[in-house]
């Protein structure tokens, strides 16, 4: 199954040379200004949805609002590309729903749903070039989609047949990282390598509001700032870290964390795909132009449970979820597409059919996914081999064979 | 405590033990990720925040080093924190604070400072989980002086060993065998428990000793049942404590049975079985009819769930080791 | 040997109740304002000595300059107390020089000199109440002095007879912590405990510019902010972490780190004992008043080598050191005492004699320090005992006895 | 390389090996605290930044997790970082990145990703240092699959094992016995070295085998000298690699001598000696005349410098173990 990529992908340019653009520089200044407000008051802005600092290009009602700083990053977006963003979000949500269903049916052991975070992921994912590199956490199914990773590959680890079923270098999309925060350092190191190579690629590291508390994330801020590494830290603040609200991790808005490390932070409406696209493009251009790291806080909401093992009724109220439903990322882009006449009924109908087909194919692919061979236990523990692994593999083989003998003997 | 005997799942037994500690000692605190309203991902702390408040049952930021590091500070202030690490594979961000600070501060202060901190770690596999949710890192703590390491195998021990761990003035790493969380047993809330670090003989036998702790004790009992059908009499030890190890009890058993197989989920290489084999061979050199054999994980990362049955010690693999030992 | 305490010590009040003061609240606001400037430019302010944000009450020339925010915290300081601060600094420097000499003579294995950092340590140390608790790193000999810790006790670990030779609870001064950054979390936990107890004590955690990069320090910022813990983070930015200048740890001034965690940061002239006293008092009052953590960056200079094992000529120029000599903390207070007629020749002469006496007593005490008993290896590994330790101790005893036998037999 | 044989101290041999790697492979990087102008606190990287620039010899922020974590990222980009941890006791803040990421990423990616990272750790005691500067944590890495763990005992091995570690596509934890840094030996820059993980017989003997690695090899040679004067012929093995352990070489020796004493500085409990004793007893059950004995550190935090001579294995303590083994 191949991935039906939508938005135009720029050519791979990892060997290209570094070149600043005037636009990026201007934006860099803007971004700096953007981080100047300080709040030392407790537990206020962290919870507010309608933060005055929130970058928004599309209102929940689907109205396009002007933004002097960021409009330039989406001015060239064609109606076709807009429909592409919409399609990406719809198909990602469909895939996600299918995975949740498959978990209920016992085909997956677990699923971490991205429901509600489609705009943050598709907006940022579509801002990337092919030669950029993505370091996800475990919920970036929408970003994976943008990178052209076969969605069924994402299911392997949730089914329990592997711990990550794709080649990170095929699509410059690293494996999911479960231990919270670790990947931000890998992203920083990778970005340091890009800089050493003199390339103008960039790196994006995804993490959550909960992850912001991990020492590793702070260390990645320090390293990236000191080495001026071309990395964008993309924090999806979905308001919850399992059962803990964001106030348990910080008492000021998370985007402000960056300034104390010497780089800009910006909060974007994470349910606004256009704003996410624009802000991420700005941040990536800064990186390419040698201006170093940026922190983007995408303010969004985890509409579902933390994972299929979780029961959110134990710790949060339904009305919170209901309030966020009004800000649905797909709905608002649909409204905009409709009022601006960028999409017609045929488009939506076709997408509905495509969506169904995707669901069906995912279902079939998962059900057909074979269990790994027993000897896979011993494969890839080492690249160059290890005497003890060889010994244990041989013992295991002999042990397995003894059953075959017995069975054969019967 | 009205009732004195209850039939409890292990998770519930730990919950009741924590509740009792919170009730009896105002200095006891519960800390960890999601331990509050959610009651922990395994519900071990269910209802405790509701009844004892946010000041005593504390949802922490998502940072394990911070959890253990602040628990040390709280202990210095006179508190007795019981810290939850959500899963085995997530203890390593706290490893530095555990092995360098928690383990050594008592000695560093020439005994002036005591750190009565309990670190609870749900551990081990067999529940079909994703990566980092099935590891057995006990050897990485047992090697470190200053820590005590225990693991109950049943609800009653879980209850009492938690009481003792909290009362201990030393830091205790308390490994909870997550695949036994739902196994029920009679728990008396008034029994007088034996010492925390004493192994117990859970089945008498004469031909060979099986030694295990935590999740593998039940398996070893099943092995002994199966072996009995074949006419072999196996003694089963529940070690209960990994540091210190109760070598006296193992030695006494091996002097009788003359053969020993150690079973754990953790990788065999540098695992508990190595230490037990080395020391028991020293103590029982002239008694042993066979080398001490070990059954455990392979020297490979814990595999994806669909392979864990092959990776983990199971009935057949332990029986195979028993047969090999008896063949000497 | 007892410690000759100078400044008036307030009574122990650990059981006291929490009470905000108007002064502290006003200052809190000031502190917040103080942290609002953001710099995203690389490597500028971090290196500058004459930062406009630097709180200074005494110029290097010993002139008292007015400061609307902080004067109130030192207005009540009497001439006697001023002389006390001077005396503390002189004696601390004398002790430190003696320890360096003792290392050269082979009496100590190592020494970490505080030369140049006397004002930062005495100023902050004298701001504390007895019931406050100090979490030092390994260079806080001046703070230890203020706490009344017998200075010879500090030498035990450097001589190799113990790993920390005092009872932390005797003077509320925790043992030196060598693993960088760890103690900031202990300080935070201790402060959380104070808050739980309803006491109005505060905690101060010392660490260096290098330490600011450690994940543990960031986590302590997060925990202290979220729990609003009464802790002052006192960073002595002495410009160097062994051979690495501060630019290797951050590209903006360190005091700015705090604001992204939701609490104020302030940079103080670390060679100005009055300013350090004032700023620390302000921060401690915030803590007592329930306003949570503060970061104080004391901008100072490590005049000597990192430790006696270090050779700074390999990585820094003498002229840097020379420039800082002009800002010497002791010299400037002496100038002020002289021009303001707060001290006469007799005072200085007496102090000189006292200083010599201190040196002599330290020398004698160290030389008399006995090696620990061999069995100390096994003591205190555990509070409640451990079967294996008992076994090994017994084996060790038998082994030792076997030599005695042999020797006795000869 | 004009000269092919030089008499070098171990620290200098490692320095030359790093220099050679920097010269021959543009992807090799050196990272760590103070590795630049200072050349590291032991001068192991002396002069390298001057000659290869700040982009290849990198002074890092003071954060070990950050050092290893970014090294992983650099390796993913195609670099081969050689990371320095300043002292043994400071590796633990990086422990999570090492055991969870560095060790497992190759397997996690089903072999797609390789992480050729070398982590250099000066380790062990005997230099009169303060706390955390004398530890021997090798067992804590050997237990973890995905890592290789080695430790040279002399300058020549240090040179060549570093070449091989850098060339390895697996992460290698390279423990440098700091008290041997100043010991000199002939180093040929053209010798063809044996495999990285092969033990070597550094002295032939018939009565008993002494197995050691890193700092304890020299001690064992001295023990063998002393024993020879008493008419006892000891064979001495330099294990060189702790993971994998070269059991074949040990087995061959023990089948000849029938007695084995393992010596290391690390605490005995759950140390390398346990694994060696357990497995060699299994392999050589009918050959062994005595249990495998272990000499190492006690189960207590590394003591202050003035006690380290008593804590560490010394000539007399090893001889005592030899006598006890021979007495069986
Ligand atoms: C180091 C570590 N500790 C704990 C966990 C368990 N855990 C998994 S997800 C999660 C919450 C993560 O929250 P956040 O970073 O906000 O991401 P989100 O799940 O909301 O996308 C926790 C505590 C983990 N995976 N890693
Ligand atoms: C975790 C850790 N890593 C490395 C070291 C080695 N080390 C000791 S002091 C030091 C530099 C500390 O610099 P800074 O924090 O600025 O404090 P200063 O020595 O300047 O007072 C280093 C790297 C250590 N003690 N702990
Ligand atoms: Mg979240
Ligand atoms: Mg410094």
């Amino acid at each position: 199954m191949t991935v039906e990529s939508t938005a135009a992908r720029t050519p791979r340019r990892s060997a290209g040379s570094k070149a600043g653009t005037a636009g990026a520089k201007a934006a860099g200044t803007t971004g700096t200004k953007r981080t100047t407000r300080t709040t030392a008051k407790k537990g206020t802005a962290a919870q507010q949805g309608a933060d005055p600092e929130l970058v928004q290009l599309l209102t929940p009602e689907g109205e396009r609002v002007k933004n002097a700083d960021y409009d330039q990053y989406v001015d060239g977006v064609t109606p076709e590309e807009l429909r592409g963003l919409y399609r990406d979000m719809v198909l990602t949500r469909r895939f996600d729903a299918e995975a949740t269903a498959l978990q209920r049916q016992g085909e997956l052991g677990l699923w971490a749903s991205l429901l509600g975070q489609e705009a943050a992921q598709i907006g940022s994912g579509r801002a990337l070039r092919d030669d950029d590199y993505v370091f996800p956490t475990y919920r970036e199914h929408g970003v994976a989609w943008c990178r052209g990773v076969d969605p069924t590959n994402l299911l392997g680890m949730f089914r329990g047949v592997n711990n990550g079923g794709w080649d990170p270098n095929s699509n410059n999309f690293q494996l999911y990282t479960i231990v919270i925060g670790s990947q931000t350092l890998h992203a920083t190191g990778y970005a340091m390598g890009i800089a050493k190579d003199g390339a103008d690629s960039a790196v994006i590291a995804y993490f959550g509001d909960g992850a912001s508390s991990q020492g590793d994330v702070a260390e990645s801020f320090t390293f990236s700032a000191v080495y001026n590494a071309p990395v964008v830290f993309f924090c999806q603040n979905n308001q919850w870290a399992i059962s803990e609200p964001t106030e348990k991790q910080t008492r000021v808005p998370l985007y402000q964390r960056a300034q104390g490390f010497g780089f800009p932070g910006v909060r974007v409406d994470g349910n606004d795909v256009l704003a996410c696209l624009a802000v991420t493009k700005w941040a990536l251009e800064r990186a390419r132009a040698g201006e170093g790291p940026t922190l983007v806080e995408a303010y969004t909401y985890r509409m579902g449970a933390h994972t299929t093992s979780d029961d959110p009724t134990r710790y949060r109220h339904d009305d919170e979820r209901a309030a966020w439903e009004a800000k649905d990322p797909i709905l608002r882009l649909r409204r905009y597409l409709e009022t601006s006449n960028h999409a017609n009924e045929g488009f939506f109908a076709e997408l509905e059919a495509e969506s169904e087909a995707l669901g069906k194919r995912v279902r079939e692919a998962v059900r057909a996914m074979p269990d790994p061979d027993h000897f896979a236990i011993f494969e890839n523990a080492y690249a160059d081999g290890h005497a003890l692994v060889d010994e244990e593999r041989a013992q295991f083989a002999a042990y397995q064979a003894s059953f075959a003998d017995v069975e054969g003997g019967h | 405590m009205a009732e004195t005997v209850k039939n409890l799942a292990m998770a519930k037994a730990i919950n009741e033990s924590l509740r009792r500690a919170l009730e009896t000692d105002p200095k006891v605190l519960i800390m960890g990720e999601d331990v509050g309203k959610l009651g922990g991902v395994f519900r071990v702390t269910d209802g405790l925040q509701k009844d004892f408040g946010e000041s005593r049952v504390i949802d922490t930021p998502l940072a394990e080093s911070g959890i253990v590091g602040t628990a040390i500070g709280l202990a210095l202030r006179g508190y007795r924190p019981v810290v939850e690490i959500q899963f085995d594979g997530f203890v390593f961000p706290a490893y530095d604070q555990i092995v360098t600070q928690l383990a050594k501060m008592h000695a560093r202060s020439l005994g002036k400072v005591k750190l009565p901190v309990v670190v609870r770690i749900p551990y081990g596999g067999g529940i079909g989980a994703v990566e980092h949710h099935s590891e057995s890192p006990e050897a990485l703590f047992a090697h470190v002086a200053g820590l005590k390491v225990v693991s109950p195998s049943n609800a009653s021990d879980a209850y009492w060993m938690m009481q003792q761990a909290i009362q201990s003035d030393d830091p205790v790493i308390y490994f909870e065998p997550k695949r036994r969380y739902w196994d029920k047993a009679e728990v008396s809330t008034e029994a007088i428990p034996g010492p925390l670090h004493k192994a117990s003989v859970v089945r008498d036998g004469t031909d060979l000793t099986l030694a295990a702790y935590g999740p593998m004790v039940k398996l070893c009992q099943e092995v002994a049942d199966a072996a009995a059908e074949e006419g072999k009499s196996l003694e089963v030890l529940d070690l209960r404590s990994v540091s210190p190890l109760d070598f006296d009890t193992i030695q006494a058993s091996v002097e009788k049975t003359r053969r020993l197989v150690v079973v754990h989920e953790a990788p065999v290489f540098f695992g508990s079985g190595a230490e037990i084999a080395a020391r028991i061979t020293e103590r029982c050199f002239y008694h042993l009819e066979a080398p001490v054999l070990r059954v455990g994980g392979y020297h490979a990362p814990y595999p994806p769930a669909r392979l864990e049955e092959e990776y983990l010690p199971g009935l057949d693999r332990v029986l195979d080791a028993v047969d090999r030992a008896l063949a000497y």
Side-chain angles (χ1 to χ4, degrees), chain A, chain B:
Chain A
M1 181 180 150
T2 58
V3 176
E4 305 89 327
S5 187
T6 310
R9 317 270 319 256
T10 49
R12 196 176 173 97
R13 277 188 280 169
S14 56
S17 70
K18 205 172 265 175
T21 67
K25 284 210 178 102
T29 316
T30 309
T32 303
K33 202 191 70 203
R34 202 158 290 283
T35 61
T36 52
R37 222 191 83 234
T38 303
T39 312
K41 291 209 200 82
K42 196 186 160 192
T44 48
Q47 290 119 285
Q48 272 175 240
D51 193 293
E53 302 274 6
L54 194 72
V55 177
Q56 192 182 69
L57 301 183
L58 274 184
T59 67
E61 294 70 35
E63 225 175 295
R64 178 75 169 81
V65 287
K66 291 265 149 234
N67 184 301
D69 296 326
Y70 294 101
D71 278 348
Q72 56 182 307
Y73 294 96
V74 290
D75 279 348
V77 173
T78 63
E80 194 191 336
E81 282 167 345
L82 277 178
R83 287 193 299 276
L85 293 170
Y86 183 79
R87 178 174 167 276
D88 289 338
M89 291 198 290
V90 166
L91 293 181
T92 297
R93 182 173 287 186
R94 183 65 179 84
F95 162 70
D96 186 75
E98 193 60 46
T100 299
L102 284 164
Q103 194 279 335
R104 302 249 178 279
Q105 294 157 28
E107 295 290 341
L108 301 180
L110 184 81
W111 183 244
S113 166
L114 67 14
L115 189 67
Q117 301 177 217
E118 295 85 356
Q121 296 193 13
I122 301 298
S124 59
R126 285 300 177 206
L128 298 165
R129 292 195 325 218
D130 275 8
D131 58 307
D132 295 337
Y133 212 106
V134 177
F135 287 80
T137 163
Y138 44 75
R139 205 188 288 282
E140 276 64 65
H141 321 313
V143 186
W145 172 266
C146 295
R147 298 307 286 174
V149 175
D150 184 332
T152 61
N153 278 349
L154 304 177
L155 302 175
M157 63 177 267
F158 292 100
R159 186 172 168 88
V161 301
N162 57 44
N163 288 326
W166 58 94
D167 179 351
N169 290 321
S170 297
N171 308 66
N172 283 9
F173 186 79
Q174 169 63 319
L175 297 176
Y176 281 169
T177 298
I178 293 178
V179 176
I180 297 289
S182 309
Q183 76 282 1
T184 60
L185 281 169
H186 310 156
T188 299
Y190 196 96
M192 287 162 61
I194 288 176
K196 275 183 210 310
D197 294 345
D200 79 335
S201 309
V203 170
I204 189 164
Y206 289 88
F207 63 100
D209 44 297
S212 70
S213 296
Q214 280 287 2
D216 273 8
V217 174
E219 294 188 10
S220 71
F221 287 5
T222 286
F223 277 67
S224 63
V226 165
Y227 298 120
N228 205 41
V231 55
V232 177
F233 295 106
F234 196 93
C235 175
Q236 288 171 83
N237 177 357
N238 64 5
Q239 315 300 321
W240 292 93
I242 309 187
S243 74
E244 299 193 14
T246 312
E247 304 95 84
K248 289 278 170 240
Q249 318 289 343
T250 181
R251 63 182 199 183
V252 289
L254 281 172
Y255 75 92
Q256 295 179 8
R257 183 69 51 88
Q259 64 187 111
F261 291 87
F263 57 91
V266 56
R267 177 180 275 191
V268 61
D269 184 338
N271 285 14
D272 172 353
V273 70
L274 265 195
C276 289
L277 178 67
V279 168
T280 311
K281 277 197 165 169
W282 160 72
L284 289 166
E285 284 191 16
R286 288 192 77 242
R288 292 187 215 296
E291 292 172 37
T294 310
L295 170 62
V296 177
E297 179 193 2
Y299 200 78
T300 180
Y301 192 71
R302 195 194 78 206
M303 296 297 289
H306 170 69
T307 64
T308 47
S309 298
D310 180 40
D311 173 11
T313 64
R314 293 179 69 97
Y315 54 81
R316 71 184 193 187
H317 287 294
D318 251 6
D319 36 347
E320 185 182 275
R321 196 197 131 102
W324 278 91
E325 239 151 38
K327 304 184 207 166
D328 187 78
I330 296 185
L331 194 60
R332 83 169 74 176
L333 184 55
R334 180 168 186 136
R335 282 173 178 152
Y336 178 60
L337 285 173
E338 286 173 346
T339 54
S340 60
N341 282 321
H342 283 334
N344 56 24
E345 270 309 307
F347 168 76
F348 294 114
E350 224 174 274
L351 183 53
E352 183 58 35
E354 192 182 3
S355 188
E356 273 313 300
L358 173 66
K360 184 155 173 283
R361 267 180 300 140
V362 167
R363 227 160 28 238
E364 286 167 1
V366 166
R367 291 190 178 136
M369 221 177 254
D371 278 358
D373 182 85
H374 292 169
F375 286 91
I377 290 172
F378 303 98
E379 300 313 315
N380 304 312
Y382 291 89
D384 293 345
H386 187 284
L388 177 63
V389 177
D390 295 343
E391 190 180 322
E392 289 185 343
R393 190 197 289 103
Q395 284 163 357
F396 183 79
Y399 172 71
Q400 296 271 40
S402 73
F403 289 98
D405 289 353
V406 173
E407 277 152 29
H410 275 264
Chain B
M1 303 249 150
E3 244 180 286
T4 59
V5 180
K6 298 179 188 180
N7 192 34
L8 298 177
M10 182 188 283
K12 182 67 179 159
I14 300 171
N15 176 277
E16 299 235 335
S17 191
L18 295 173
R19 173 176 292 277
R20 178 168 174 171
L22 286 162
E23 273 165 2
T24 48
D25 185 348
K27 291 298 186 187
V28 170
L29 304 173
I30 311 288
M31 300 171 66
E33 297 155 9
D34 307 293
V35 297
K37 273 194 190 157
L38 185 64
V41 295
F42 290 106
R43 307 294 181 263
V44 171
T45 57
D46 191 27
L48 299 179
Q49 189 181 69
K50 187 165 151 281
D51 294 345
F52 297 93
E54 289 196 27
S55 170
R56 299 198 58 204
V57 180
I58 308 166
D59 272 332
T60 63
L62 206 176
E64 286 76 9
S65 187
I67 296 170
V68 174
T70 55
I72 290 170
L74 282 157
L76 291 172
R77 179 76 190 177
Y79 286 89
R80 303 183 89 85
V82 182
V83 154
E84 173 174 309
I85 300 292
Q86 203 162 74
F87 282 92
D88 34 70
F90 308 145
V91 70
F92 301 115
Y95 195 70
D96 178 52
Q97 284 285 350
I98 293 173
V99 305
T100 305
Q101 303 300 333
L102 188 59
K104 296 185 172 63
M105 205 177 281
H106 179 69
R108 185 179 303 144
S109 74
L110 301 175
K112 299 295 193 299
V113 157
K114 288 181 178 139
L115 294 181
V117 176
V118 178
V119 180
R120 294 181 39 233
I121 309 181
Y123 85 124
I127 63 161
V130 294
E131 204 185 353
H132 314 296
H133 291 70
S134 302
E135 298 173 15
S136 297
E138 64 273 18
L140 304 173
F141 296 90
H143 186 50
V144 178
L147 303 175
K148 288 174 173 170
V149 180
V150 302
S151 182
S153 71
N154 60 71
S156 173
D157 271 3
Y159 181 92
W160 283 109
M161 289 168 71
M162 178 57 76
Q163 287 294 307
Q164 294 170 311
I166 293 173
Q167 281 152 23
S168 167
D169 276 338
D170 287 307
V172 178
I173 315 293
Y174 185 96
F175 280 104
E176 302 175 2
K178 63 174 92 80
R179 66 159 130 165
R180 303 290 174 230
Y181 268 149
W182 304 278
D183 289 2
K184 291 193 165 188
E186 300 280 284
V187 178
S188 159
T189 54
E190 282 181 0
I192 296 162
L196 178 55
H197 301 290
K198 185 139 182 46
S200 65
V201 182
V202 293
R203 182 187 180 114
D204 282 313
T206 52
D207 298 339
L208 182 147
T209 301
L210 285 175
Y213 49 85
M216 292 286 96
V217 174
K218 190 179 170 194
L219 173 69
C220 287
Q221 288 172 304
E222 289 162 6
V223 168
D225 286 341
E229 285 179 23
E230 297 174 14
K232 298 162 195 161
S233 165
L234 307 193
E235 180 143 312
V236 180
L237 305 185
D238 182 351
L239 299 177
R240 301 168 80 251
S241 175
V242 179
S243 177
L245 278 162
D246 179 2
F247 291 114
D248 291 344
T249 298
I250 311 175
Q251 178 176 355
S253 176
V254 170
E255 285 179 359
K256 178 174 66 172
T257 65
R258 297 174 169 260
R259 287 177 172 86
L260 174 63
V261 173
V262 186
V263 185
H264 50 64
E265 290 192 15
V268 165
F269 194 60
F270 281 76
S272 309
E275 181 59 40
I276 295 169
R279 208 163 296 248
I280 290 302
T281 305
E282 232 185 286
R283 288 196 181 199
C284 309
F285 189 65
Y286 292 121
H287 287 91
L288 281 168
E289 303 276 356
V292 177
L293 298 186
R294 299 175 285 165
V295 185
Y298 298 110
H299 191 66
Y302 197 91
R306 302 254 170 165
L307 286 171
E308 68 180 343
E309 219 185 297
E310 303 301 323
Y311 180 87
L312 289 170
L315 198 80
D316 287 331
R317 255 173 70 204
V318 180
L319 278 171
D320 178 65
V322 168
D323 289 346
R324 282 188 287 120
L326 288 171
Y328 274 82

